[in-house]
Amino acid sequence: MTDKITGVRTAFEADLARASSESDLEGVRVKYLSRGGVIAQLFEEMKSVPPAEKPVMGKLLNALKTESQKAFDGKKAGASHGPAQGERSIDLTLPGRPRPLGRKHPLTQTIDEIKGIFTSMGFSVATGPEIETDYYNFGALNFPADHPARDMQDTFFISKNVLLRTHTSPVQIRTMQNQKPPVREIMPGRVYRNEAVSARSLVTFHQIEGLYVDQGVTFSDLKGTLVAFARQFYGNDVKFKFRPTFFPFTEPSADMYISCFLCKGQGCRMCKQAGWLEILGSGMVHPHVLQNVGYDPERYTGFAFGMGIERIASLRYGVDDLRLFYENDVRFLQQF
Ligand code: PHE
């Protein structure tokens, strides 16, 4: 009987080791562990073992039974829950891992959209340096030295003549210096102003500037172009008005307003009850500016405009604190 038990144990271990699939395993189970299996038969044979040997044989047989079951269970669990030792397996039925998708920053989205509208009207895109000289930021743009107009824009000076540009208008000068008319460019970029940071003002923000210079460009061209832009960007039903203002580099100059798209001009928190939102500054390029870049102001005229991207984006999305655009909190960014 002892030999028999040892024999079954050896045979079981060999069969179990060879089993490589679920159905092999099932075969092993039926052959050894089921109610009619080899081990159950040994228990049957215990009945004819002499009583003196029964305790020892019983112990051996019980050990065979529990150990075989354990070995079997272990292998079965290994087979269905992952690779057995030394094997690698790929579960092709697992769903793929979703990759988190990035998206463009709302300011970039706004710049891209504005660029798209103007490039479709025949404008191309130009850029220029953020560190500028006094000449490009002010002088060439007809800000007289020591003129109070310079106080309109609080400037970060690096040295007496070098500064962080306070607007994108110096790119107008650089573009016109490098190119003969017709000039039809838009100029997006970052600008800097020495102001206290608050919900309504930042030390750095973005502008997009536009410039069109050719023979016979008139104020109607300015209005037509900007109205076409505003309709595409804010919707066809938007109303607009131009109000005279002053910039040293344009004459005449006008701020453009659109009817508040939130309250449709009725007056609300966004437009501060005015019913109108200021969206950009514009004007006819001052003859001095044309002269400064070597264009003949008797021959050429042009218009220019500039708008703040943060302002445009905040109006559009109802963001009431400009600082949110720079904190880069994903909970904010994910909404765009
Ligand atoms: N550069 C002006 C500003 O920063 C905006 C502007 C640009 C106005 C072009 C008129 C023409 O306020």
Side-chain angles (χ1 to χ4, degrees):
M1 187 69 185
T2 320
D3 289 348
K4 253 192 180 163
I5 293 174
T6 318
V8 168
R9 184 188 285 272
T10 318
F12 168 81
E13 278 167 5
D15 281 353
L16 186 65
R18 233 176 291 130
S20 61
S21 67
E22 292 274 340
S23 67
D24 287 354
L25 276 173
E26 181 59 11
V28 173
R29 191 192 66 78
V30 170
K31 184 169 173 195
Y32 293 94
L33 301 168
S34 68
R35 285 174 70 198
V38 178
I39 293 175
Q41 258 166 44
L42 287 176
F43 276 100
E44 210 42 50
E45 285 176 40
M46 274 293 283
K47 287 175 185 160
S48 49
V49 168
E53 290 178 24
K54 266 194 178 154
V56 180
M57 290 301 141
K59 227 177 166 181
L60 271 178
L61 194 50
N62 274 322
L64 172 66
K65 188 187 166 186
T66 48
E67 278 163 31
S68 310
Q69 188 67 49
K70 216 170 133 193
F72 176 84
D73 289 345
K75 172 132 184 179
K76 188 162 170 113
S80 53
H81 291 301
Q85 259 195 347
E87 274 176 40
R88 292 187 81 218
S89 83
I90 297 169
D91 185 349
L92 297 173
T93 65
L94 277 178
R97 292 192 191 97
R99 290 189 183 275
L101 271 189
R103 64 192 82 197
K104 284 187 182 169
H105 191 280
L107 293 178
T108 309
Q109 289 181 26
T110 308
I111 293 174
D112 284 352
E113 198 176 327
I114 296 172
K115 270 197 221 165
I117 293 172
F118 282 105
T119 49
S120 77
M121 291 196 255
F123 285 76
S124 43
V125 179
T127 54
E130 291 175 18
I131 299 176
E132 270 295 5
T133 59
D134 186 277
Y135 177 74
Y136 282 102
N137 197 78
F138 292 125
L141 286 160
N142 198 35
F143 285 79
D146 303 320
H147 190 279
R150 293 188 185 215
D151 293 341
M152 280 166 72
Q153 303 177 351
D154 303 288
T155 311
F156 283 115
F157 281 94
I158 293 169
S159 66
K160 191 169 176 292
N161 278 316
V162 181
L163 47 82
L164 297 178
R165 68 179 179 191
T166 58
H167 51 177
T168 41
S169 304
V171 190
Q172 288 186 27
I173 305 298
R174 292 183 177 276
T175 305
M176 290 190 282
Q177 278 179 341
N178 290 330
Q179 206 173 315
K180 290 273 149 264
V183 170
R184 210 189 282 140
E185 305 274 348
I186 51 162
M187 299 153 269
R190 189 187 275 270
V191 302
Y192 300 83
R193 290 195 194 174
N194 192 357
E195 282 173 17
V197 175
S198 72
R200 326 198 115 257
S201 69
L202 300 165
V203 283
T204 175
F205 59 99
H206 295 77
Q207 290 188 333
I208 197 162
E209 186 108 358
L211 175 69
Y212 178 28
V213 182
D214 200 355
Q215 283 181 317
V217 176
T218 67
F219 198 84
S220 327
D221 294 318
L222 177 156
K223 279 174 82 174
T225 306
L226 295 179
V227 167
F229 158 73
R231 287 201 170 127
Q232 278 194 63
F233 193 77
Y234 293 101
N236 260 331
D237 52 349
V238 94
K239 293 200 203 75
F240 42 84
K241 68 177 181 186
F242 288 84
R243 200 174 75 169
T245 186
F246 171 78
F247 298 107
F249 37 91
T250 50
E251 183 60 35
S253 308
D255 283 330
M256 183 180 185
Y257 292 75
I258 57 164
S259 53
C260 179
F261 44 82
L262 199 68
C263 62
K264 304 273 175 261
Q266 298 305 299
C268 69
R269 210 179 111 250
M270 175 138 86
C271 59
K272 295 195 217 88
Q273 310 308 326
W276 295 95
L277 298 166
E278 185 197 327
I279 57 161
L280 53 82
S282 65
M284 300 305 291
V285 180
H286 197 292
H288 289 171
V289 174
L290 296 175
Q291 256 160 10
N292 288 340
V293 297
Y295 287 3
D296 178 359
E298 295 299 326
R299 222 175 134 199
Y300 297 109
T301 50
F303 68 77
F305 56 90
M307 60 190 115
I309 304 299
E310 281 76 358
R311 180 176 163 76
I312 301 268
S314 68
L315 289 178
R316 190 170 214 205
Y317 299 118
V319 175
D320 55 12
D321 190 332
L322 296 183
R323 291 170 291 195
L324 287 167
F325 287 120
Y326 287 86
E327 281 165 7
N328 286 333
D329 184 328
V330 278
R331 289 169 302 178
F332 173 74
L333 298 178
Q334 271 169 349
Q335 297 174 49
F336 301 94

